[in-house]
Amino acid sequence: MQLHYQSQAVAKPYFIAAIGLFVGQILFGLIMGLQYVIGDFLFPAIPFNVARMVHTNLLIVWLLFGFMGAAYYLVPEETETELHSPLLAWVLFWVFLVAGALTVVGYLIVPYASLAEMTGNGILATMGREFLEQPLPTKLGIVVVALAFLYNIGMTMLKGRKTAISMILLIGLVGLAVLFLFAFYNPSNLVKDKYFWWWVVHLWVEGVWELILGAILGFVLLKLTGVDREVIEKWLYTIITLTLVTGIIGTGHHYYWIGAPAYWQWWGGIFSALEPLPFFALTVFCFNMVNRRRREHPNKAATLWALGTGVMAFLGAGVWGFLHTLAPINYYTHGTQITAAHGHMAFYGAYVMVVLTIISYAMPIMRGREANSERAQVLEMWSFWLMTVSMVFITLFLTAAGLLQVWLQRIIPNPQPFMVVQDQLALFYWLRWISGVVFLIGLVVYMYSFFVQDKPQPVAAGEVQPATA
Amino acid sequence: MSATFTKSMARNIFYGGTVFAALLFLALTFHTTWKLPQRDHRENLTAEVVRGKHLWETRNCIGCHTLLGEGAYFAPELGNVYKRRGGDFIKVWIKIQPTGAAGRRQMPQFHFTDPQLDDIVAFLKWTSEINTENWPPNIQG
């Protein structure tokens, strides 16, 4: 099994870096999980806010590595031409990796206020807002890397075949880059700050990222199932129409209680109540394509990841999002562990799993085989179940904690103070942490599966060894 | 999906639907921006409040606390903390951190000067006066 286009191979370092940063993300998640029950754990060396920055920023960065790797792998094959500049892709890889690493090191060894001072936050204050904590040079670096990356992908598409899959991917990636520019807008009026902060955060994860997700999943399913391209691309357009028609105005579900007019409770409520639809369509799409497959692809693990993405994205983003999206419910659940529960399963189900899907499909091919050995695939599927089931439990335990928190802090006649309530949730936090450890075990199994070889088959003397496919 | 629903139809609906949704969202944003001055009492955005927001950001307060329900869920909601505790309590509280109580969640010591503490309180007071449609449900946040 050979790569169709040699330049696709540049995806490999991106995928390896993605997995490496994923490990870091989970380790810091476990630190935070422990701090929820042993409050002074690692204090003051790694205060909670630092661990959280590392946890969430690593997630964003490794998913971006995954998206870029996916684009470098998928676009040459879709456009039927070599990548415009593999060298540029390699340069950007190192720039992004070093910038990301320096940022995390900065978070860990310099107090945040000093980091802000050292990196020019006084010139243009952009730091200290959730998920956008990166110092100014890092933010500028992200813009430069994104622009050069889009140039590389755009030039490749320009000279080659235009397919719906690559177009949808490109629209998603351009949207990602353009919306990130709102990270530089930080008005001193907190209400305006929050209003446009969501243009990065919500319009990324409930908007343009879903286009990237759809394109990656469509590509992998096309390859795995051999279903007609027309059918797959028609589904994709339908899914992303539902995504953006519901998701753009669905931003309003973040505008209920931050100072925006009350009518957002209706606009946000109605449109975001429809946001599960694209995810439901995605689930139906995945199962439909696999059921109508015209070939039996030997990579069973990749098929499992693709189906898993369909199911878990619907559960995490669709169902767990819907649970608390209507204003009368959100009034009580806003900013509680319910939000954390939704965030964990949605990010895992949609974006983590889609990146692992493309890695599962593409990595064996980049290593010279159509699929991994039986043993490696069995291990990979074990890791799928370990990580996915433990994430379901993390979500369930956080939901239980959230319900109890809402009840004690916001509903009963004599509402209790925050920390009094937190102490009563300790059991659920412990159970969540144990689930997190199982998740880490799943991740270790996942990485181990890359290094597993088939057992050598004993061949009796005098017999002819069958040729391997 | 049936053959009468073609890919180019699906594509046109995508572009049309997206443009429509985006324009509607922009129109609503325009209207919101026009209405905001009545809700965020921006006439009270003093230099103190602006400096307070800057301190809030550069100490990464959002990494543990929520502010109007957004942020981390590790420490109490601070959108209404001015109403819950009052300015003097907030200043003393910040000064005596960390408590060092074994096994309890710890807040770092930020070595603020007294004027800086005033700025933070001014920011939290201004924030507590935003019209949030009566959120949070009660004083506990």
Side-chain angles (χ1 to χ4, degrees), chain A residues 12-34:
Chain A
K12 200 170 169 181
Y14 281 84
F15 290 153
I16 294 170
I19 296 169
L21 297 171
F22 184 18
V23 177
Q25 186 214 343
I26 301 310
L27 292 177
F28 278 87
L30 287 173
I31 291 175
M32 297 162 70
L34 216 46

Side-chain angles (χ1 to χ4, degrees), chain A residues 8 141 147 165 202 426 435:
Chain A
Q8 287 178 288
L147 284 178
I165 289 178
H202 174 95
S435 311

